[in-house]
């Protein structure tokens, strides 16, 4: 499993999660810039964004809380099962866990053109009762940086760029303050490369 590199942010224009409203149960409705077309800092190029944007419908919003820290990277453990297949575990105390969800409604996902690239914009909910520290931090800051996780099933190499033609959204991770997103300006981003026999899991945070 590739490990997300923790480095200081490189200035403005990075992605984030924005609060839209609060309901009677104190849950937060949020909007996220999930993913864009074009080559990112990891030299990954997502194609067919309009076609696959809605695969993020109903997917989880995740966050890790290592040693009380609010937000980190794509924290999971890779291991081999008894049949030799690569699997991923989220049982570690530092693993990311589900803190909310993208709405399972077609109106919750849209695409938007910015500077010649296509962005995926998603709306969802964070559960405040179970994540008060996270929600309060977002309320103080107004936004946090995020990262998408995707299952890439069709790709090819173009020079030093990995081009992803066929893919689907798996989830969106809220990043820690020191994690540098791979896609500047994305309200949802970051990818670490995780590979197994039949699936390539890509996460959009900037890594070596």
């Amino acid at each position: 499993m590739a490990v997300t590199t923790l480095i200081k942010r490189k200035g403005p224009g990075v992605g984030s999660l924005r609060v839209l409203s609060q309901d009677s149960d104190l849950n937060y409705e949020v909007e996220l810039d999930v993913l864009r077309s074009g080559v990112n800092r990891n030299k990954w190029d997502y194609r067919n964004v309009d076609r696959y944007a809605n695969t993020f419908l109903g997917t989880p919003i995740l966050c890790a809380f290592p040693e009380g820290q609010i937000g980190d990277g794509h924290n999971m453990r890779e291991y081999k099962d008894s049949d030799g297949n690569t699997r991923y575990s989220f049982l570690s105390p530092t693993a990311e866990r589900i803190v909310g969800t993208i709405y399972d409604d077609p109106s919750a996902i849209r695409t938007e053109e910015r500077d010649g690239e296509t962005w995926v914009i998603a709306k969802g909910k964070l559960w405040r009762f179970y994540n008060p520290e996270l929600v309060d931090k977002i309320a103080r800051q107004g936004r946090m940086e995020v990262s998408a996780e995707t299952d890439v099933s069709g790709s090819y190499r173009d020079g030093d760029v990995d081009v992803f033609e066929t893919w689907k959204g798996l989830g969106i991770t809220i990043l820690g303050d020191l994690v540098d997103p791979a896609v500047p300006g994305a309200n949802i981003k970051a990818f670490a490369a995780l590979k197994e026999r039949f699936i390539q899991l890509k996460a959009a945070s900037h890594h070596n």
Side-chain angles (χ1 to χ4, degrees):
M1 182 180 80
V3 177
T4 300
T5 302
L6 301 181
I7 58 177
K8 293 186 180 296
R9 286 175 290 181
K10 297 182 178 179
V14 295
S16 62
L17 172 155
R18 303 178 297 277
V19 176
L20 298 181
S21 64
Q22 184 182 68
D23 65 20
S24 59
D25 295 320
L26 301 182
N27 296 318
Y28 273 15
E29 183 177 63
V30 293
E31 183 175 75
L32 311 102
D33 296 345
V34 179
L35 179 67
R36 67 154 168 80
S37 61
V39 180
N40 65 27
R41 288 172 177 165
N42 288 336
K43 295 188 180 297
W44 297 344
D45 184 1
Y46 279 82
R47 302 285 175 86
N48 304 312
V49 171
D50 287 318
R51 181 186 305 173
Y52 298 117
N54 66 0
T55 61
F56 283 100
L57 287 172
T59 58
I61 302 172
L62 308 107
C63 189
F65 300 89
E67 299 181 353
Q69 173 184 312
I70 301 173
D72 198 20
H74 296 270
N75 297 6
M76 63 192 77
R77 181 177 64 87
E78 178 182 303
Y79 70 98
K80 298 289 186 180
D81 65 17
S82 58
D83 295 323
N85 298 314
T86 301
R87 300 187 65 183
Y88 303 96
S89 172
F90 298 84
L91 295 179
S92 165
T94 62
E96 57 185 358
R97 60 186 177 88
I98 297 174
V99 297
T101 184
I102 300 302
Y103 295 130
D104 193 11
D105 183 305
S107 65
I109 301 286
R110 73 179 193 276
T111 57
E112 185 177 296
E113 297 298 318
R114 299 181 195 165
D115 301 322
E117 303 294 353
T118 303
W119 283 87
V120 178
I121 315 297
K123 289 184 179 179
K125 177 186 291 188
L126 297 178
W127 302 310
R128 190 186 190 282
F129 180 82
Y130 297 101
N131 308 281
E133 298 86 357
L134 170 64
V135 170
D136 289 347
K137 179 180 175 69
I138 294 171
R140 290 193 304 270
Q141 298 181 175
R143 61 176 63 204
M144 286 184 73
E145 295 168 10
V146 296
S147 159
E149 294 178 346
T150 60
D151 168 11
V152 177
S153 56
S155 65
Y156 64 91
R157 189 85 170 169
D158 183 8
D160 62 349
V161 174
D162 288 310
V163 179
F164 303 147
E165 287 193 308
T166 308
W167 52 273
K168 67 178 181 180
L170 295 178
I172 298 161
T173 299
I174 299 173
L175 299 177
D177 293 337
L178 299 181
V179 179
D180 192 22
V183 184
N187 285 28
I188 242 178
K189 50 200 162 212
F191 300 172
L194 309 172
K195 297 182 179 179
E196 57 179 303
R197 187 176 306 170
F198 301 112
I199 186 174
Q200 290 186 63
L201 178 61
K202 297 291 182 179
S205 54
H206 184 53
H207 67 277
N208 293 331

